[in-house]
Amino acid sequence: MKRNTASITLALLSAFSCPAGPLPAAEGQPNQRLQVVVPDDFPRFIVAGHEREMALLRELFWLHYQPGGPLIPLWDEWMPMSTLWPARDGESLPSMRERWAAALAGRGMNDDGYIHTHQHDGTAHAQGWPFPLWTQAGGIGWHFASTGVPGYEGPHTAPGGWKLERASGGSLNDKGWPVELTAAGATAQPPAFSIEARIAPWLRLNWWAEGLDTANCHVEWTTSEKPEFDPDRRISFPAAGGMDLAKVETRTMIELYRHREWKGTITGLRIGFGNAGPARLVIKSFHTASDSRHNINNPNFIRGCRDYFDWSGDTAFLRGQIARIRKAMQFMMNEFDTRNRKCVYTTWPGHEGRSGVRYVDGQKTIVRGEGVGSNYWDLLPFGGEDALATIYYYDALGDLADLEESIAGHPEWNVSATAAFDPADLRAHAEEVRDYGRRRFWNEATGRFGTVDLDGVMHDYGFTFLNNEAVYYGFATPEQARSIHDWLSGRRMVAGDTSTGADIYRWRFGPRSTTRRNLDYYFWAWSNPESIPWGYQVQDGGGVLGFSYHDLMARLQTAGPDDAWQRLSEITSWFDEVQAAGGYRRYYEDPSHGTLQGGNVPGGLGMDREFFESVLVPQVMLYGFLGFQPGADRVTVDPLLPSSWKELTITRIHWQDHVLDIRVAADTLEITDRTSAGKPVAVDNPSGRKLNVVIQQPQ
């Protein structure tokens, strides 16, 4: 119903890692209500006769708005839409808009157009998720200094056994291993080893260098069948920048898996620095890496940029970012062959959609290197013909089409048309993607969506998030949406599911993440799921508060506002009980309520700490019941009110240069603009219902 066009510790315990770290959960005293003081300048939801529920929703919003804002690309679809619209007089500087503009403009992008994941410095792919670790894959590595991230350290080692040619090594320091390159053509060769090429698709070199500005560095390798170094088994990589040890080291990723000779058993590596003369460097670490990249970063970045622009009207941002937005889309099309495949066809090593935990003739088999996560659900092997990534890609196509159309219609914005996409072509392609996905990912036997690996095998564990998002983004047909709703509402039982009927909402705040027990569809290092009871892992029968938003929005679209309001009322009742008990952590001290995950503590339920997306839930008031959507030139208001609501008012909606209070009733749309500057607000009502539109603006 959108616009129509576990990071883990070494023990694999928790779910996500954020650059700045999550705020601790607010907690009260046991059996004493947690008092949350919401500032007067924070938006209000006003529905006569339902003051208590509206106050609780506002409290929930404020509780999760405080630690919200820019995070990493994983959240770029969810956080801008949730945090950019409140108009606050007492907002601290930099403002939320300024923070988002800087964050989106600062998203790392490689030369091909891949948007980096922006995780911490661990031992996985530098542009990807923090795991799988190379140690979990059975790779090889040398760490001469600490990563500085507890739980993501590699085995510390000394450089004994390394062979230096035309170079000399110094003593280890807190940065790593200093090396002086004394003559042209210096090389560094670590000790011999033996690993499978398959489980080591990348090499990672963390380092500083001075004097290599024009050098063409390379790495060579030997195999069990070809024990001598040879230029045929060589791949080049760029040198690190200037030797300023006060700066963050260069994290060089060397893509080996595409080289035709990276195969079999690898037995040796040698770094050639390509130096023309003396140079200095410090090697912090050198190791193999699993491919922990996420295939959803690019569509999330595109959608986040579109949301930011529509809410802010920041044409300077659009001018600065449009080339990157277009490049991000072109990367998706090229890397995942979307024009031909009509889906996000992911062939990255380990991302083929196959499980790394399999049962063969009743015996568990662990396949190292298989089942790597590609998105938020980091234990699950989405990939191959990736249903979730395809839905996000479909939505991003519509967002970019709208952006391109707005740019073409506003030459005064002076936004470059270089490499621009044709909006009509993007929308036609989106239709192809949706039509293919509706067939390919639909499981006729269960009446819901699953995902498909590169062997063509459907995987369906009752992914409620996948199905609700398919409805929310307009990916599902109306018939498919009704089938999904009937399953989730308990009107239809699915044979073989572990959770059916009312038990799907066992956790009260929303549906379980999955409804079928999963013992054999994970990345390989999560190899003992049977040791954790059903519902005690977020990704196996547990639940995530934030994604109740998609459940509510799907209900609103499929079953109507009364159904959605009934579900939201149950959520507010649950939240009332939680706050009365002293907050999330106090409430879930009672194991009968479930177990919380968060802050490197395992559990089945995600709602605080690293689960920032909890801020989504109250957004059903704005985007759902009010039917508000920001646009480049105008806003859309298309309300759907429950029968028990005579009217709805939402205050302090900050759209571009306007601060709006909007009231809707059966046949009335009243917009009060608190700002006197700028042109009047233009309003669309796409449903065509007769509404008496009144726009009031101070004189």
Side-chain angles (χ1 to χ4, degrees), residues 211-270:
L212 295 181
D213 294 346
T214 61
N216 184 24
C217 305
H218 66 263
V219 66
E220 299 173 305
W221 59 93
T222 60
T223 70
S224 57
E225 295 182 348
K226 298 178 179 179
E228 302 296 328
F229 289 108
D230 189 292
D232 286 343
R233 293 185 302 283
R234 173 185 293 182
I235 192 166
S236 297
F237 63 90
M243 181 89 158
D244 183 350
L245 296 183
K247 294 181 178 179
V248 175
E249 74 276 6
T250 299
R251 301 173 182 176
T252 300
M253 294 306 305
I254 306 169
E255 187 179 36
L256 291 165
Y257 71 94
R258 296 190 198 271
H259 196 292
R260 64 181 182 276
E261 293 298 326
W262 186 256
K263 59 184 178 181
T265 301
I266 309 300
T267 57
L269 294 167
R270 183 170 69 186

Side-chain angles (χ1 to χ4, degrees), residues 278-582:
R280 295 188 307 140
L281 54 95
V282 174
I283 300 175
K284 180 180 179 181
S285 59
F286 181 54
H287 58 84
T288 59
S290 299
D291 195 333
S292 63
R293 292 175 294 172
H294 277 179
N295 62 6
I296 49 84
N297 290 353
N298 286 47
N300 283 3
F301 170 71
I302 294 166
R303 297 185 294 170
C305 287
R306 190 267 169 89
D307 284 344
Y308 170 77
F309 176 70
D310 279 354
W311 277 113
S312 68
D314 186 347
T315 54
F317 171 86
L318 189 59
R319 281 193 297 273
Q321 293 304 304
I322 190 60
R324 282 162 38 91
I325 293 169
R326 290 165 177 160
K327 189 172 183 178
M329 178 58 78
Q330 196 60 59
F331 175 85
M332 291 294 292
M333 293 177 172
N334 295 342
E335 186 73 8
F336 304 119
D337 198 21
T338 58
R339 289 286 193 177
N340 293 318
R341 301 285 185 173
K342 317 304 181 195
C343 68
V344 176
Y345 193 82
T346 311
T347 59
W348 290 342
H351 293 260
E352 299 91 345
R354 307 181 189 103
S355 180
V357 182
R358 307 173 191 171
Y359 283 84
V360 180
D361 296 329
Q363 298 296 313
K364 183 191 296 184
T365 301
I366 308 301
V367 185
R368 289 187 304 176
E370 294 275 0
V372 181
S374 299
N375 53 50
Y376 178 101
W377 306 94
D378 53 9
L379 301 181
L380 302 177
F382 279 86
E385 295 194 53
D386 190 328
L388 192 61
T390 298
I391 292 171
Y392 292 176
Y393 173 66
Y394 163 76
D395 190 55
L397 288 167
D399 276 8
L400 183 53
D402 290 350
L403 275 177
E404 295 284 21
E405 195 166 64
S406 294
I407 290 167
H410 290 275
E412 73 277 11
W413 292 351
N414 194 28
V415 177
S416 173
T418 302
F421 287 86
D422 176 4
D425 176 63
L426 288 174
R427 292 186 179 117
H429 176 45
E431 290 290 322
E432 294 177 327
V433 170
R434 185 177 65 177
D435 290 346
Y436 177 81
R438 286 171 167 176
R439 300 189 305 272
R440 183 60 165 166
F441 302 129
W442 186 251
N443 187 341
E444 291 289 351
T446 61
R448 63 196 181 200
F449 288 105
T451 192
V452 179
D453 65 28
L454 289 190
D455 297 324
V457 177
M458 168 77 73
H459 300 275
D460 175 2
Y461 290 86
F463 303 122
T464 62
F465 55 89
L466 172 67
N467 284 273
N468 276 327
E469 288 185 78
V471 178
Y472 171 67
Y473 290 114
F475 194 82
T477 67
E479 294 75 20
Q480 289 170 336
R482 284 192 291 272
S483 176
I484 290 166
H485 178 263
D486 287 348
W487 155 53
L488 292 177
S489 65
R491 294 175 184 158
R492 182 173 66 83
M493 305 298 175
V494 177
D497 271 7
T498 311
S499 177
T500 60
D503 184 70
I504 294 175
Y505 288 85
R506 162 71 176 83
W507 309 122
R508 299 180 60 197
F509 58 77
R512 295 179 184 268
S513 299
T514 61
T515 59
R516 179 172 296 184
R517 184 69 156 125
N518 176 10
L519 300 178
D520 59 356
Y521 190 61
Y522 293 103
F523 100 98
W524 78 90
W526 189 262
S527 59
N528 196 29
E530 62 271 21
S531 67
I532 299 175
W534 165 249
Y536 283 69
Q537 214 295 321
V538 165
Q539 300 177 58
D540 187 29
V544 176
L545 171 59
F547 301 128
S548 287
Y549 168 73
H550 300 119
D551 184 54
L552 289 164
M553 293 291 281
R555 284 172 173 269
L556 187 63
Q557 178 177 339
T558 306
D562 284 348
D563 183 276
W565 170 233
Q566 180 182 5
R567 178 92 280 277
L568 183 59
S569 298
E570 292 168 4
I571 295 171
T572 57
S573 294
W574 160 83
F575 184 66
D576 196 13
E577 289 183 28
V578 167
Q579 297 300 82

Side-chain angles (χ1 to χ4, degrees), residues 7-8 10 17 118-135 142-143 145-155 204-206 249 251 253 284-290 292:
S7 74
I8 53 174
L10 289 178
S17 301
H118 283 268
Q119 273 288 0
H120 55 63
D121 183 29
T123 60
H125 195 294
Q127 299 164 11
W129 202 236
F131 69 87
L133 316 179
W134 69 258
T135 50
W142 298 267
H143 294 264
S146 169
T147 65
V149 185
Y152 296 91
E153 294 284 6
R204 175 173 173 177
L205 177 62
N206 279 30
E249 74 276 6
R251 301 173 182 176
M253 294 306 305
K284 180 180 179 181
S285 59
F286 181 54
H287 58 84
T288 59
S290 299
S292 63

